[in-house]
Amino acid sequence: MGEIMPDTQLASAHADEPRATGLRAGDTQVLRLRQEHPVNRDRQDIPCLDMFSVIVQLRDFARHELWCGGRLVFAGGHARMALSVTHLGEGWACRHLSSFDNVRVQIPRASLDALSEELERPAVSGFARAQGTVDPVAYGLVSALLPALDMPDRGNRLFVDQVTLALTIHVAQTYGGMAPLAPPGGRRTGGLSQWQEARAKEFLTANLGGDVAIAEVAAECGLSRSHFIKAFRETTGQTPYRWLLDHRVARARELLRGPQPIADIALACGFADQSHLTRVFAAATGMLPAAWRRRQG
């Protein structure tokens, strides 16, 4: 989960060919695909796979055509924030006729079935009302993944896993008919027990860089991924990733009181490098690490 694939030219070294960056969250693949000047006007077949493709437009997509089973089913454009869901096993083909920039989340049917079982809901058989629908929630979630897609050294496995799971649940509930779980009588489900909270924080602290999947942390507490995230947030007021990020900044503040070089502190606190620490530290405290250190002296 969270494996980053480098920015690559998909077809050739030509500057006008589409570019893709991607990462994986378990069996789910997330791709950012963009092209400024489409030069290949031929229809392109999409690999036939038993998975669902969720596409969210990052900007207006003026013109493209879609075929399903050899029949033209769409010709036109999609607005920024528009979402579409298709099952890739139905024999799709496309032709891009204008520039585009979108994020594609490809979810195998087996992964969606496993999520349904985890949430104790009936399996999702398909998606309705999800062709070109403007969806600000999905747009916000995929936008949160852009730094991980565009800056591989900033990718955080815990964060990618958390956001991808949230997107999958949102799409399944909004367009796939998966009803949200509600506790009996509308009661809150409760947070983590004392031992679960201690174990979760201990496990996260031992993996400061965030190179751990939500499923791993949840397993330490004997919970499913979705139930763990909900219980953790109810107990701490934060998602696991947000709690870990704050813990890393707090640890950096402690180390900045000593003489250790800032570059070494960054690595000790799970940041990719000094610039990564500086950006996160400044956002959290309003000060650069060097300035904060001087103030403590």
Side-chain angles (χ1 to χ4, degrees), residues 103-213:
V103 172
R104 303 163 183 231
V105 182
Q106 297 182 339
I107 309 165
R109 184 188 294 275
S111 295
L112 190 60
D113 289 345
L115 177 62
S116 299
E117 183 176 350
E118 176 183 318
L119 296 175
E120 301 177 345
R121 310 306 296 165
V124 174
S125 59
F127 295 87
R129 300 180 294 102
Q131 302 303 323
T133 302
V134 172
D135 189 326
V137 174
Y139 176 82
L141 289 168
V142 299
S143 295
L145 292 173
L146 294 182
L149 285 164
D150 295 340
M151 297 182 290
D153 61 337
R154 302 295 189 264
N156 182 288
R157 189 180 182 197
L158 184 69
F159 178 71
V160 169
D161 201 10
Q162 190 173 290
V163 174
T164 304
L165 177 61
L167 177 67
T168 303
I169 292 175
H170 168 70
V171 172
Q173 291 181 343
T174 306
Y175 307 104
M178 179 189 285
L181 281 176
R187 292 182 287 104
R188 298 173 71 184
T189 57
L192 299 173
S193 67
Q194 189 173 9
W195 78 264
Q196 287 173 324
E197 180 183 0
R199 181 56 190 142
K201 290 180 177 179
E202 178 186 16
F203 192 79
L204 289 169
T205 300
N207 295 274
L208 275 182
D211 188 24
V212 59

Side-chain angles (χ1 to χ4, degrees), residues 82-101:
L83 172 145
S84 298
V85 184
T86 55
H87 180 248
L88 298 183
E90 297 173 353
W92 291 88
C94 65
R95 188 157 68 120
H96 297 152
L97 300 171
S98 66
S99 63
F100 63 90
D101 187 359

Side-chain angles (χ1 to χ4, degrees), residues 45-66:
D45 291 330
I46 299 172
C48 192
L49 302 168
D50 190 15
M51 62 173 54
F52 296 96
S53 179
V54 180
I55 303 179
V56 181
Q57 304 299 330
L58 298 179
R59 67 183 190 212
D60 291 344
F61 187 5
R63 295 180 60 214
H64 72 293
E65 298 172 345
L66 285 174

